Amino acid sequence: MIGLSHYLLVSAALFGLGLFGLLTKRNLIAVLMSIELMLNSVNINLVAFSRYTAADASAGQVFSLFIIAVAAAEVAVGLALAYAIYRGRGTVSVDEIDWLKW
Amino acid sequence: MGDGLMHTLAFYFLAGITLAAATGVVFKRNLVHSAFLLSVTFLGVAGLYMTLEAEFLAAVQALVYSGAVAVLVVIGVMLTQRDDMSKSNPPNKMVVAGASAALAIVGVLVWAVVATPWKTGRGAVVSVADIGRRFLTDFAPPFEAVALLLLAAVIGAVVLFKGGKVQS
Amino acid sequence: MWAEFSLTHAWLIPLLPASAFVLISFFLLSSPWLASRLAIVAMGSSFLLALGAAAAVLTQGITVEAPFVMKTVWFSMPGLSVDMGVLVDPIAATLLFVVTLITLLVLIYSTGYMAGDPGYCRFFAFISLFAASMLGLVIATNFLQMFVFWELVGLCSYLLIGFYFFKVSAREAGKKAFMTTRIGDFGLLLGILLLQITFRTLDFAELAVKVPAYVAENGAASLTFIAILIFIGPVAKSGQFPLHVWLPDAMEGPTPVSALIHAATMVVAGVYLIARSFAIFSVLPGALTVIAWLGVFTALFAAFIALTQREIKRILAFSTISQLGFMMLALGVGSLTSSMFHLMTHAFFKALLFLGAGSVLHALHDQADIFQMGGLRKSMPATCLMMGTAVLAIAGIPPFAGFFSKDEILVAAAHVSTPIYLLASLAAFMTAFYMARLFILTFLGKPNPHNHPHESGLSMLVPMGVLAVLSVVGGIIPFAMGFGEWVRFGPAHHAGIDWAVAGASTVISLLGFALAWYIYGGGHTRSNDLTIKTGALYTWSFNKCYVDEIYQWFNRTFVGGLARLSFWIDIHALGAVVDNAWRGTGAAGSEMRRLQTGQMQQYAAVMLSATVVLVILLAALTGSLVKGGQI
């Protein structure tokens, strides 16, 4: 009943939500959270494929584990950056963090 | 989990939770609310992994994402808090453009999913031992690399938090 | 034995002065005594080798048809193989003798003339380099080797004319010489290239066989064009009209330079080139006609100008141009013998004339106007005697050297073309006239009280003396010993004297002397009256027929105009292209810069849109959009 496409659609929706958040949130932390949503959607994709196709099964899950590790590291560093910016400039509003411009 | 009514119900329930929580993360104006809903999303995804018979992955997801990443996000919120938390997560000027872009992408993805005749089958059952073995044999180099990455991330985060200046 | 050695080691003849040049330039620039002695020793050794080579030619019976050749491959590529080597035959032996002897005498003379000059060592170095180049030119076996040394000789001329480089006039004269001869070199090079294309060889000996065969088959028309091109080189180098303009200005150089290069050696390089490749020219009657008429015209033209010049060296310069015209004329009427003979005798008496002029200039502290001189026979008796000898020689009075050589030329001309003979005789008359004019005004009459002359030292007088002796006997001895049997092209001339022509030419020369005595002997009144009476003719002659002024006008108008046009195009046309390029780039950059807003989400949006577009493109291109996708 529930097939591969169902999971893929859930993953697509999740990805879209994350993308929307990335593009429209003003707070830097919120943008990071949206990135995490996108990463999770990718993970769902991978695991669904590993379950529903006859190809190398454990590879999909191993890949997902790697992504989880990388995402964790990224969140750590990203939040450290946000804090550093906040300490230096007093703001975490993405609109105001635009010093690398012409 | 097998095919069957329980599977279908479980899937729809968990998918609903996940997507609802994700919507909340993205649309709510209170940053703390977003953070907590993020945690819920992660748990929802963990549940989806369970339905996909990836138990170990579900456990890791719950532990790492929901247990560590979400906590980190909350800490971040706390450290960079502004005065009025209820308005701390507003949208910006690009809402329309962003929405259309996101819808466009989703549209392409949906079309790809729907239009493709997937050849589905039953993958092998994956056990923790399998994963472990893969980590230490085929994927040993990336495994080590990730270890290095985590070390670098730890050092980087510490340095950034401290302020980056060498104090004598 | 010495003869045999000299012949096989003839390559030493240019090498010794070249080594002297290198040694002086690198090591001896601050030791004048050593530098001059080294140069003289090197040149003396070359002279001895040249004598040996000449002896070898005479004893071994080497002829123009069967020269002694020693060569090695210089470079070889498909379609072109060029050798480098030594070619010795009677013509080359004559030149070797003349060049080494005159250079040696000039070097000895210069130790006196150039004493005290700050550029003394540089002078000896350059003279050595020049001698090496000229000698290399003489023994060249093919056109390319000769061309290399031709250019080198031109370079040395430039260096030596501009020797007093602190004077603007000297610098300009050096540039003028180099550029004028460059025009000639261009023609020569084109001719050489065309020869190579037509015959696949540049070797003189090979061409001597191939060219007559080619002309016998195909006729002379196309080759005549090539021959004229080659002739343009000698036109410039040997001062024929219209490329003679550099020679009078070349007098800016020190007088020994004028004696050596612009009288006896370098300027005859052109004549030598034609003589060396006479096998080519002799079968092209059209080319020979051009050479003959241009030669006689040059002889007359230069003599006409020399009639009114006042500076002593300038008179001699135009005299050189005129005599070179005679040598070309001789080649043009087909007489290689008389041309080479005149080359040799002219070297003797013209070098003597220049050295004598140098002696006079040295004594009068560079007062060059002959109308300011006078009566120098009392204070400079040796110089006067020797200059008188040279004047008699150049006028062709028997039994002096010039008589035999000029007589031969006139005889050859008379056999071929009466108009040329008459014009050449007219030029000979003018030669006698202006040389007598020079001698009378300089040495005879009353001394000018402003001048305090003294006779020159032995270092200057002895070389002049040697040349004076040669001016006396340097005609009759080769004539009697059969010069014409060795230095010839084709069958030998009869060694007799055509008394009709000889008598006529002597009478003409004596008439020239008489006229000069009438006008200039005993004061300047008659000459001043004549200047006024001849009016326009005098002005034309005095201003060198305005040839220089015409060239200047041409330069300003056309070359200058072209330069201005090119400048305008460079700034405005090409410049516009370049300017628009950089302005456009700048403008594009300024606009593109606006993309860098610093807004992270905007960057993300742009990247996203790009990715979507790419995906759709890829899908469309691979046909997935149409077929509904296959995995």
Side-chain angles (χ1 to χ4, degrees), chain C residues 150-151 153-154 181 185 232-239 246 266-270:
Chain C
W150 182 277
E151 296 284 346
V153 163
T181 48
D185 297 345
I232 296 179
V235 166
K237 190 73 91 186
S238 294
W246 63 274
M266 189 188 91
V267 292
V268 302

Side-chain angles (χ1 to χ4, degrees), chain B residues 12 15 22 36 44 56 71 82 86-87 103 135 137 144 156 164:
Chain B
Y12 279 115
F36 283 128
F56 177 67
V71 170
R82 306 301 294 276
S86 63
K87 291 199 195 47
L103 278 171
F135 262 119
T137 54
E144 303 297 335

